[in-house]
Structure formats: C-alpha cells, structure tokens
Coordinates of all heavy atoms in Angstrom, one line a residue:
M27 N 108.2 89.3 18.9 CA 108.9 89.6 20.2 C 108.9 88.4 21.1 O 107.8 87.8 21.3 CB 108.2 90.8 20.9 CG 108.3 92.1 20.1 SD 109.9 92.8 20.2 CE 109.7 93.9 21.7
K28 N 110.0 88.2 21.8 CA 110.0 87.1 22.8 C 110.5 87.7 24.1 O 111.1 88.8 24.2 CB 111.1 86.1 22.3 CG 110.6 85.3 21.1 CD 111.6 84.2 20.8 CE 111.5 83.0 21.7 NZ 112.4 81.9 21.2
K29 N 110.1 87.0 25.2 CA 110.5 87.5 26.5 C 111.7 86.7 27.0 O 111.7 85.4 27.0 CB 109.3 87.3 27.5 CG 109.4 88.1 28.7 CD 108.2 87.9 29.6 CE 108.4 88.6 30.9 NZ 107.4 88.3 31.9
C30 N 112.7 87.4 27.4 CA 113.9 86.7 27.9 C 113.6 85.9 29.1 O 113.0 86.4 30.1 CB 115.0 87.8 28.2 SG 116.4 87.1 28.9
N31 N 114.1 84.7 29.1 CA 113.9 83.7 30.3 C 114.7 84.1 31.5 O 114.5 83.5 32.6 CB 114.1 82.3 29.8 CG 112.9 81.7 29.2 OD1 111.9 81.7 29.7 ND2 113.1 81.2 28.0
R32 N 115.7 84.9 31.3 CA 116.6 85.3 32.4 C 116.2 86.6 33.1 O 115.9 86.7 34.2 CB 118.0 85.3 32.0 CG 118.6 84.0 31.7 CD 120.1 84.1 31.7 NE 120.7 84.1 33.0 CZ 121.3 83.0 33.5 NH1 121.5 81.9 32.8 NH2 121.8 83.0 34.7
C33 N 116.1 87.7 32.2 CA 115.9 89.0 32.8 C 114.5 89.5 32.5 O 114.1 90.5 33.1 CB 116.9 90.0 32.3 SG 116.7 90.4 30.5
G34 N 113.7 88.8 31.7 CA 112.3 89.2 31.5 C 112.1 90.3 30.5 O 111.0 90.8 30.3
C35 N 113.2 90.8 29.9 CA 113.0 91.9 28.9 C 112.5 91.3 27.5 O 112.6 90.1 27.3 CB 114.3 92.6 28.6 SG 115.5 91.8 27.6
F36 N 112.0 92.1 26.7 CA 111.5 91.7 25.4 C 112.5 91.9 24.3 O 113.2 92.9 24.4 CB 110.2 92.4 25.0 CG 109.0 92.0 25.9 CD1 108.7 92.7 27.0 CD2 108.3 90.8 25.6 CE1 107.6 92.3 27.8 CE2 107.2 90.4 26.4 CZ 106.9 91.2 27.5
F37 N 112.7 90.9 23.5 CA 113.7 91.0 22.4 C 113.2 90.3 21.2 O 112.3 89.6 21.2 CB 115.0 90.4 22.9 CG 115.0 88.9 23.1 CD1 115.5 88.1 22.2 CD2 114.4 88.4 24.2 CE1 115.5 86.7 22.3 CE2 114.3 87.0 24.4 CZ 114.9 86.2 23.5
I38 N 113.9 90.6 20.1 CA 113.6 89.9 18.8 C 114.7 88.9 18.5 O 115.9 89.3 18.6 CB 113.5 90.9 17.7 CG1 112.4 91.9 18.0 CG2 113.3 90.2 16.3 CD1 112.4 93.1 17.1
G39 N 114.4 87.7 18.3 CA 115.4 86.6 18.0 C 114.8 85.3 18.2 O 113.7 85.1 18.6
D40 N 115.7 84.3 18.0 CA 115.2 82.9 18.1 C 115.6 82.2 19.4 O 115.3 81.1 19.6 CB 115.8 82.1 16.9 CG 115.3 82.5 15.6 OD1 114.1 82.9 15.6 OD2 116.0 82.5 14.6
N41 N 116.4 82.9 20.2 CA 116.9 82.3 21.4 C 115.9 82.3 22.6 O 114.9 83.1 22.5 CB 118.2 83.0 21.9 CG 119.3 82.8 20.8 OD1 119.6 81.7 20.4 ND2 119.8 83.9 20.4
D42 N 116.2 81.6 23.7 CA 115.3 81.7 24.9 C 115.6 82.9 25.7 O 114.8 83.4 26.5 CB 115.6 80.5 25.8 CG 115.0 79.2 25.2 OD1 114.1 79.3 24.4 OD2 115.4 78.1 25.7
V43 N 116.8 83.5 25.5 CA 117.2 84.6 26.2 C 117.7 85.8 25.3 O 118.0 85.5 24.2 CB 118.4 84.3 27.2 CG1 117.9 83.3 28.3 CG2 119.6 83.7 26.5
C44 N 117.8 87.0 25.9 CA 118.2 88.1 25.1 C 119.7 88.2 24.8 O 120.4 87.4 25.4 CB 117.7 89.4 25.8 SG 118.6 89.8 27.3
A45 N 120.1 89.1 24.0 CA 121.6 89.1 23.7 C 122.4 89.4 24.9 O 123.5 88.9 25.0 CB 121.8 90.2 22.6
N46 N 121.9 90.2 25.9 CA 122.7 90.5 27.1 C 122.9 89.2 27.9 O 123.9 89.1 28.6 CB 121.9 91.5 27.9 CG 122.0 92.9 27.3 OD1 122.9 93.2 26.5 ND2 121.0 93.7 27.6
C47 N 121.8 88.4 28.0 CA 121.9 87.2 28.8 C 122.5 86.0 28.1 O 122.8 85.0 28.8 CB 120.5 86.9 29.3 SG 119.8 88.1 30.4
L48 N 122.7 86.0 26.8 CA 123.2 84.9 26.1 C 124.5 84.4 26.6 O 124.7 83.2 26.8 CB 123.3 85.3 24.6 CG 123.1 84.1 23.6 CD1 121.8 83.3 23.8 CD2 123.2 84.7 22.2
P49 N 125.5 85.3 26.9 CA 126.8 84.8 27.4 C 126.6 84.2 28.8 O 127.3 83.2 29.1 CB 127.7 86.0 27.4 CG 126.9 87.1 27.0 CD 125.5 86.7 26.6
I50 N 125.7 84.7 29.6 CA 125.5 84.1 31.0 C 124.9 82.8 30.8 O 125.3 81.8 31.5 CB 124.6 85.1 31.8 CG1 125.1 86.5 31.7 CG2 124.6 84.6 33.2 CD1 124.1 87.5 32.3
D51 N 123.9 82.6 29.9 CA 123.3 81.4 29.7 C 124.3 80.3 29.2 O 124.3 79.2 29.6 CB 122.2 81.6 28.6 CG 120.9 80.8 28.9 OD1 120.5 80.8 30.1 OD2 120.3 80.2 28.0
A52 N 125.2 80.7 28.3 CA 126.2 79.8 27.7 C 127.1 79.4 28.8 O 127.5 78.2 28.8 CB 126.9 80.5 26.6
N53 N 127.5 80.3 29.7 CA 128.3 80.0 30.8 C 127.7 78.9 31.7 O 128.3 78.0 32.2 CB 128.7 81.3 31.6 CG 129.7 81.0 32.6 OD1 130.7 80.4 32.4 ND2 129.5 81.6 33.8
D54 N 126.4 79.1 32.0 CA 125.6 78.2 32.9 C 125.6 76.8 32.2 O 125.8 75.8 32.9 CB 124.2 78.7 33.0 CG 124.1 79.7 34.2 OD1 125.1 80.0 34.8 OD2 122.9 80.1 34.4
K55 N 125.3 76.8 30.9 CA 125.2 75.5 30.2 C 126.6 74.8 30.2 O 126.6 73.6 30.4 CB 124.8 75.7 28.8 CG 123.3 76.1 28.7 CD 122.9 76.3 27.2 CE 121.5 76.8 27.1 NZ 121.1 77.0 25.6
A56 N 127.7 75.5 30.0 CA 129.0 74.9 30.0 C 129.3 74.3 31.4 O 129.8 73.2 31.5 CB 130.0 76.0 29.7
K57 N 128.9 75.0 32.5 CA 129.1 74.5 33.8 C 128.3 73.2 34.1 O 128.7 72.2 34.7 CB 128.7 75.5 34.9 CG 129.8 76.5 35.2 CD 129.5 77.3 36.5 CE 128.4 78.3 36.2 NZ 128.2 79.3 37.3
L58 N 127.1 73.3 33.5 CA 126.1 72.2 33.7 C 126.6 70.9 33.0 O 126.5 69.8 33.5 CB 124.8 72.7 33.2 CG 123.5 71.8 33.6 CD1 123.5 71.7 35.1 CD2 122.3 72.5 33.1
I59 N 127.0 71.1 31.7 CA 127.5 70.0 30.9 C 128.7 69.4 31.6 O 128.8 68.2 31.8 CB 127.8 70.4 29.5 CG1 126.6 70.7 28.7 CG2 128.6 69.3 28.8 CD1 126.8 71.4 27.4
D60 N 129.6 70.2 32.1 CA 130.8 69.8 32.8 C 130.4 68.9 34.0 O 131.0 67.9 34.3 CB 131.6 71.0 33.3 CG 133.0 70.6 33.8 OD1 133.7 69.9 33.1 OD2 133.3 71.0 34.9
Y61 N 129.4 69.4 34.8 CA 129.0 68.7 36.0 C 128.3 67.4 35.6 O 128.6 66.3 36.2 CB 127.9 69.6 36.8 CG 127.5 68.9 38.1 CD1 128.2 69.2 39.2 CD2 126.4 68.0 38.1 CE1 127.8 68.6 40.4 CE2 126.1 67.4 39.3 CZ 126.7 67.7 40.5 OH 126.4 67.1 41.6
C62 N 127.5 67.4 34.6 CA 126.8 66.1 34.2 C 127.8 65.1 33.6 O 127.6 63.9 33.7 CB 125.7 66.4 33.1 SG 124.4 67.4 33.8
E63 N 128.9 65.6 33.0 CA 129.9 64.7 32.5 C 130.7 64.0 33.5 O 131.2 62.9 33.4 CB 130.7 65.4 31.4 CG 130.1 65.8 30.1 CD 129.7 64.6 29.3 OE1 130.4 63.5 29.4 OE2 128.8 64.6 28.5
T64 N 131.0 64.8 34.6 CA 131.9 64.3 35.7 C 131.2 63.6 36.8 O 131.9 62.9 37.6 CB 132.8 65.4 36.2 OG1 131.9 66.5 36.6 CG2 133.7 65.9 35.1
N65 N 129.9 63.8 37.0 CA 129.2 63.2 38.1 C 128.2 62.1 37.6 O 127.4 62.3 36.7 CB 128.4 64.2 38.9 CG 129.3 65.2 39.6 OD1 129.7 64.9 40.7 ND2 129.6 66.3 39.0
K66 N 128.4 60.9 38.2 CA 127.5 59.8 37.8 C 126.1 60.0 38.3 O 125.1 59.7 37.6 CB 128.1 58.5 38.3 CG 129.2 58.0 37.4 CD 129.5 56.5 37.6 CE 130.4 56.0 36.6 NZ 131.7 56.7 36.5
S67 N 126.0 60.4 39.6 CA 124.7 60.5 40.2 C 124.3 62.0 40.1 O 125.0 62.9 40.5 CB 124.7 60.0 41.6 OG 124.3 61.0 42.5
L68 N 123.2 62.3 39.4 CA 122.7 63.6 39.2 C 121.5 63.9 40.1 O 120.4 63.6 39.7 CB 122.4 63.9 37.7 CG 123.5 63.7 36.7 CD1 123.0 63.8 35.3 CD2 124.6 64.7 37.0
L69 N 121.8 64.5 41.2 CA 120.7 64.9 42.1 C 120.4 66.4 41.9 O 121.3 67.2 42.0 CB 121.0 64.6 43.6 CG 119.9 64.8 44.6 CD1 118.7 63.9 44.4 CD2 120.5 64.6 46.0
F70 N 119.2 66.7 41.6 CA 118.8 68.1 41.2 C 119.4 69.1 42.2 O 120.0 70.1 41.8 CB 117.3 68.2 41.1 CG 116.8 69.4 40.3 CD1 116.9 69.4 38.9 CD2 116.4 70.5 40.9 CE1 116.4 70.5 38.2 CE2 116.0 71.6 40.2 CZ 116.0 71.6 38.8
S71 N 119.2 68.9 43.5 CA 119.6 69.9 44.5 C 121.1 70.0 44.6 O 121.6 71.1 44.8 CB 119.0 69.5 45.9 OG 119.4 68.2 46.2
D72 N 121.8 68.9 44.3 CA 123.3 68.9 44.2 C 123.8 69.7 43.1 O 124.8 70.4 43.1 CB 123.9 67.5 44.1 CG 123.8 66.8 45.5 OD1 123.5 67.4 46.5 OD2 124.1 65.6 45.5
I73 N 123.1 69.6 42.0 CA 123.5 70.4 40.8 C 123.3 71.9 41.0 O 124.2 72.7 40.7 CB 122.6 70.0 39.5 CG1 122.7 68.5 39.2 CG2 123.0 70.8 38.3 CD1 121.8 67.9 38.2
I74 N 122.2 72.3 41.7 CA 122.0 73.7 42.0 C 123.1 74.1 42.9 O 123.7 75.2 42.7 CB 120.7 73.9 42.8 CG1 119.5 73.5 41.8 CG2 120.5 75.3 43.3 CD1 118.1 73.5 42.5
H75 N 123.5 73.3 43.9 CA 124.5 73.7 44.9 C 125.9 73.8 44.2 O 126.6 74.7 44.5 CB 124.5 72.6 46.0 CG 125.2 73.1 47.2 ND1 124.6 74.0 48.1 CD2 126.4 72.8 47.8 CE1 125.4 74.2 49.1 NE2 126.5 73.5 48.9
S76 N 126.2 72.9 43.4 CA 127.5 72.8 42.8 C 127.8 73.8 41.7 O 128.8 74.3 41.5 CB 127.8 71.4 42.3 OG 127.7 70.5 43.3
T77 N 126.7 74.0 40.9 CA 126.9 74.9 39.7 C 126.5 76.3 40.0 O 127.0 77.2 39.3 CB 126.1 74.4 38.5 OG1 124.7 74.4 38.8 CG2 126.5 72.9 38.1
G78 N 125.6 76.5 41.0 CA 125.1 77.9 41.2 C 124.1 78.3 40.2 O 123.6 79.4 40.2
V79 N 123.7 77.4 39.4 CA 122.6 77.7 38.4 C 121.3 77.6 39.1 O 121.0 76.6 39.9 CB 122.7 76.7 37.2 CG1 121.6 77.0 36.2 CG2 124.0 76.8 36.5
S80 N 120.4 78.5 38.9 CA 119.1 78.5 39.6 C 118.2 77.3 39.1 O 118.4 76.9 38.0 CB 118.4 79.8 39.4 OG 117.8 79.9 38.1
S81 N 117.3 76.9 40.0 CA 116.4 75.8 39.6 C 115.5 76.1 38.4 O 115.3 75.3 37.6 CB 115.5 75.4 40.8 OG 114.7 76.5 41.2
T82 N 115.2 77.4 38.3 CA 114.4 77.8 37.1 C 115.1 77.6 35.8 O 114.6 77.1 34.9 CB 114.0 79.3 37.2 OG1 113.4 79.6 38.5 CG2 113.0 79.7 36.1
N83 N 116.4 78.0 35.8 CA 117.2 77.9 34.6 C 117.6 76.4 34.4 O 117.6 76.0 33.3 CB 118.5 78.7 34.8 CG 118.2 80.2 34.6 OD1 117.4 80.6 33.7 ND2 118.9 81.0 35.3
L84 N 117.8 75.7 35.5 CA 118.1 74.2 35.3 C 116.9 73.5 34.7 O 117.1 72.7 33.7 CB 118.4 73.6 36.7 CG 119.8 73.8 37.3 CD1 119.9 73.1 38.6 CD2 120.9 73.3 36.3
S85 N 115.7 73.8 35.1 CA 114.5 73.2 34.6 C 114.4 73.5 33.1 O 114.0 72.7 32.3 CB 113.3 73.7 35.3 OG 113.3 73.3 36.6
R86 N 114.7 74.8 32.7 CA 114.7 75.2 31.3 C 115.7 74.4 30.5 O 115.4 73.9 29.4 CB 114.9 76.7 31.3 CG 114.9 77.3 29.8 CD 114.7 78.8 29.9 NE 115.7 79.5 30.6 CZ 116.9 79.8 30.2 NH1 117.2 79.5 28.9 NH2 117.8 80.4 30.9
Y87 N 116.9 74.3 31.0 CA 117.9 73.6 30.2 C 117.6 72.1 30.1 O 117.7 71.6 29.0 CB 119.3 73.7 30.9 CG 119.8 75.1 31.1 CD1 120.6 75.4 32.2 CD2 119.6 76.1 30.2 CE1 121.1 76.7 32.4 CE2 120.0 77.4 30.3 CZ 120.8 77.7 31.5 OH 121.3 78.9 31.7
F88 N 117.1 71.5 31.2 CA 116.9 70.1 31.1 C 115.6 69.7 30.3 O 115.4 68.6 29.9 CB 116.8 69.5 32.5 CG 118.1 69.3 33.2 CD1 118.4 69.9 34.4 CD2 119.2 68.7 32.5 CE1 119.6 69.8 35.0 CE2 120.4 68.6 33.1 CZ 120.7 69.1 34.3
S89 N 114.8 70.7 30.1 CA 113.6 70.4 29.2 C 113.9 70.7 27.8 O 113.1 70.4 26.9 CB 112.4 71.3 29.7 OG 112.7 72.6 29.6
S90 N 115.1 71.2 27.5 CA 115.5 71.4 26.1 C 116.2 70.1 25.5 O 116.7 69.3 26.3 CB 116.5 72.5 26.0 OG 117.8 72.2 26.5
T91 N 116.1 70.0 24.2 CA 116.7 68.8 23.6 C 118.2 68.7 23.8 O 118.8 67.6 23.8 CB 116.4 68.8 22.1 OG1 116.8 70.0 21.5 CG2 114.9 68.5 21.8
E92 N 118.8 69.9 24.0 CA 120.3 70.0 24.2 C 120.7 69.1 25.4 O 121.8 68.6 25.4 CB 120.6 71.4 24.4 CG 122.1 71.7 24.3 CD 122.4 73.2 24.5 OE1 121.4 74.0 24.6 OE2 123.6 73.6 24.6
F93 N 119.8 69.1 26.4 CA 120.2 68.4 27.6 C 119.4 67.1 27.9 O 119.4 66.5 28.9 CB 120.0 69.3 28.8 CG 121.1 70.3 28.9 CD1 121.0 71.6 28.3 CD2 122.3 70.1 29.6 CE1 122.0 72.5 28.4 CE2 123.3 71.0 29.7 CZ 123.2 72.2 29.1
S94 N 118.7 66.6 26.8 CA 117.8 65.5 27.0 C 118.6 64.2 27.4 O 118.1 63.4 28.1 CB 117.0 65.2 25.7 OG 117.9 65.0 24.6
Q95 N 119.9 64.1 27.0 CA 120.7 63.0 27.3 C 121.0 62.9 28.8 O 121.2 61.9 29.4 CB 122.0 63.0 26.5 CG 122.8 64.2 26.7 CD 124.2 64.2 26.0 OE1 124.8 63.2 26.0 NE2 124.5 65.3 25.4
Y96 N 121.0 64.1 29.5 CA 121.2 64.1 30.9 C 119.9 64.1 31.7 O 119.9 63.6 32.8 CB 122.0 65.4 31.3 CG 123.3 65.6 30.5 CD1 123.5 66.7 29.7 CD2 124.3 64.6 30.6 CE1 124.7 66.8 29.0 CE2 125.5 64.8 29.9 CZ 125.7 65.9 29.1 OH 126.8 66.0 28.4
S97 N 118.9 64.8 31.2 CA 117.7 65.0 32.0 C 117.1 63.7 32.5 O 116.4 63.6 33.5 CB 116.7 65.8 31.2 OG 116.3 65.2 30.0
K98 N 117.2 62.6 31.7 CA 116.6 61.3 32.1 C 117.3 60.7 33.3 O 116.8 59.8 33.9 CB 116.6 60.3 30.9 CG 117.9 60.0 30.3 CD 117.7 59.0 29.2 CE 119.1 58.6 28.6 NZ 119.7 59.6 27.8
N99 N 118.6 61.2 33.6 CA 119.3 60.6 34.7 C 119.2 61.4 36.0 O 119.8 61.0 37.0 CB 120.8 60.5 34.3 CG 121.1 59.6 33.1 OD1 120.4 58.6 33.0 ND2 122.0 60.0 32.3
I100 N 118.5 62.5 35.9 CA 118.4 63.3 37.1 C 117.4 62.8 38.1 O 116.3 62.4 37.8 CB 118.0 64.8 36.7 CG1 119.1 65.4 35.8 CG2 117.8 65.7 37.9 CD1 118.7 66.6 35.2
Q101 N 117.8 62.9 39.4 CA 117.0 62.5 40.5 C 116.5 63.7 41.2 O 117.3 64.6 41.4 CB 117.7 61.5 41.4 CG 118.0 60.2 40.7 CD 118.8 59.3 41.6 OE1 119.6 59.7 42.4 NE2 118.7 58.0 41.4
Y102 N 115.3 63.7 41.6 CA 114.7 64.8 42.4 C 114.4 64.4 43.8 O 113.9 63.4 44.0 CB 113.4 65.3 41.7 CG 113.7 65.8 40.3 CD1 113.6 64.9 39.2 CD2 114.0 67.1 40.0 CE1 113.9 65.4 37.9 CE2 114.2 67.6 38.7 CZ 114.2 66.7 37.7 OH 114.5 67.1 36.4
N103 N 114.8 65.3 44.7 CA 114.5 65.1 46.1 C 113.1 65.7 46.3 O 112.5 66.3 45.4 CB 115.5 65.6 47.1 CG 115.8 67.0 46.8 OD1 115.1 67.7 46.2 ND2 117.0 67.5 47.4
D104 N 112.6 65.6 47.6 CA 111.3 66.1 47.9 C 111.0 67.6 47.5 O 110.0 68.0 47.0 CB 110.9 65.9 49.3 CG 110.7 64.4 49.6 OD1 110.5 63.7 48.6 OD2 110.8 64.0 50.8
I105 N 112.0 68.4 47.8 CA 111.9 69.9 47.6 C 111.7 70.2 46.1 O 111.0 71.0 45.8 CB 113.2 70.6 48.2 CG1 113.3 70.4 49.7 CG2 113.1 72.1 47.9 CD1 114.7 70.7 50.2
C106 N 112.5 69.4 45.3 CA 112.5 69.8 43.9 C 111.4 69.0 43.1 O 111.2 69.3 41.9 CB 113.9 69.4 43.3 SG 115.2 70.4 44.1
K107 N 110.7 68.1 43.7 CA 109.6 67.4 43.0 C 108.5 68.4 42.5 O 107.9 68.2 41.6 CB 109.0 66.4 43.9 CG 109.7 65.0 43.8 CD 109.1 64.0 44.7 CE 109.9 62.8 44.8 NZ 109.5 61.9 46.0
K108 N 108.4 69.5 43.3 CA 107.4 70.5 42.9 C 107.7 71.3 41.7 O 106.9 71.9 41.1 CB 107.2 71.4 44.1 CG 106.7 70.8 45.4 CD 106.2 71.8 46.4 CE 105.7 71.1 47.6 NZ 106.8 70.7 48.5
I109 N 109.0 71.2 41.3 CA 109.4 72.0 40.1 C 108.8 71.2 38.8 O 109.0 70.1 38.7 CB 110.9 72.1 40.0 CG1 111.4 73.0 41.1 CG2 111.3 72.7 38.6 CD1 112.9 73.0 41.3
N110 N 108.1 72.0 38.0 CA 107.4 71.4 36.9 C 108.3 71.3 35.7 O 108.7 72.3 35.1 CB 106.2 72.2 36.6 CG 105.3 71.5 35.6 OD1 105.4 70.3 35.4 ND2 104.5 72.3 34.9
L111 N 108.7 70.1 35.3 CA 109.5 70.0 34.1 C 108.5 69.6 32.9 O 107.7 68.7 33.1 CB 110.5 68.8 34.2 CG 111.8 69.2 34.8 CD1 112.7 68.0 35.0 CD2 112.6 70.2 34.0
N112 N 108.5 70.3 31.9 CA 107.6 70.0 30.8 C 108.1 68.8 30.0 O 109.0 68.8 29.3 CB 107.6 71.2 29.8 CG 107.2 72.5 30.5 OD1 106.3 72.5 31.3 ND2 107.9 73.5 30.1
Ligands
ZN218 ZN1 117.9 88.9 29.2

C-alpha cells in the first residue's frame, strides 16, 4: 500500500499518486514542463505563481528524475529556501 502524495489516501500501485489524482498530477507536470521550456529564469516562487502548482507538489516533481534537467536551474528566494528538496 502506498499513500497518495496529493490526497493522502492509500492505494496499490507504482505511482506517487492514486488513480484519482493521476490526471491532475499529469496536468500539473504538463504545465510545469511548458513553463520550464519557455522561461529561461526559473524562480521557484514565480513557478508557483504562474502554474498554480503548490510548492509541495513542485518540490516532489523537481526531486524526481523526470524533472532533473530543470531542477538544477531553479533559483530559490528566501521564502522558498526553507522547502526541503531531497
Ligand atoms: Zn490521490
């Protein structure tokens, strides 16, 4: 059993999120990739503001290998420095 990273429910599977949240997660990732591809400067707070993706979910995406090519370019302002990226 795994715990869904979005809604907190328990589910069986290999994903980070449950089946209900999978399409929402995919939508967030698509927005995020689009943002990272079109913006040269990646400021964490700007990404939250522009994409509407929560900081918790952003941290999760950027700590995944899927987003490793973008995560190294992200800049954090003072507010977001406290967010722990693994
Ligand atoms: Zn869920």
Side-chain angles (χ1 to χ4, degrees):
M27 293 285 271
K28 291 181 77 173
K29 195 177 178 193
C30 175
N31 275 307
R32 289 196 82 104
C33 70
C35 78
F36 290 96
F37 68 102
I38 297 167
D40 294 327
N41 298 306
D42 284 345
V43 296
C44 72
N46 289 337
C47 295
L48 207 54
I50 312 169
D51 221 42
N53 188 46
D54 274 1
K55 287 181 184 178
K57 275 193 288 190
L58 195 53
I59 289 171
D60 190 53
Y61 185 91
C62 292
E63 288 292 336
T64 51
N65 291 274
K66 282 197 166 59
S67 124
L68 298 174
L69 186 64
F70 199 79
S71 57
D72 283 350
I73 301 173
I74 295 172
H75 199 74
S76 301
T77 61
V79 179
S80 74
S81 59
T82 308
N83 286 322
L84 281 180
S85 298
R86 179 162 57 86
Y87 300 146
F88 285 128
S89 61
S90 72
T91 51
E92 193 179 353
F93 285 90
S94 59
Q95 58 177 318
Y96 304 119
S97 59
K98 61 179 181 289
N99 297 325
I100 296 169
Q101 295 177 330
Y102 297 88
N103 56 17
D104 288 345
I105 299 163
C106 296
K107 271 177 189 164
K108 296 191 178 82
I109 295 167
N110 185 25
L111 276 175
N112 305 317

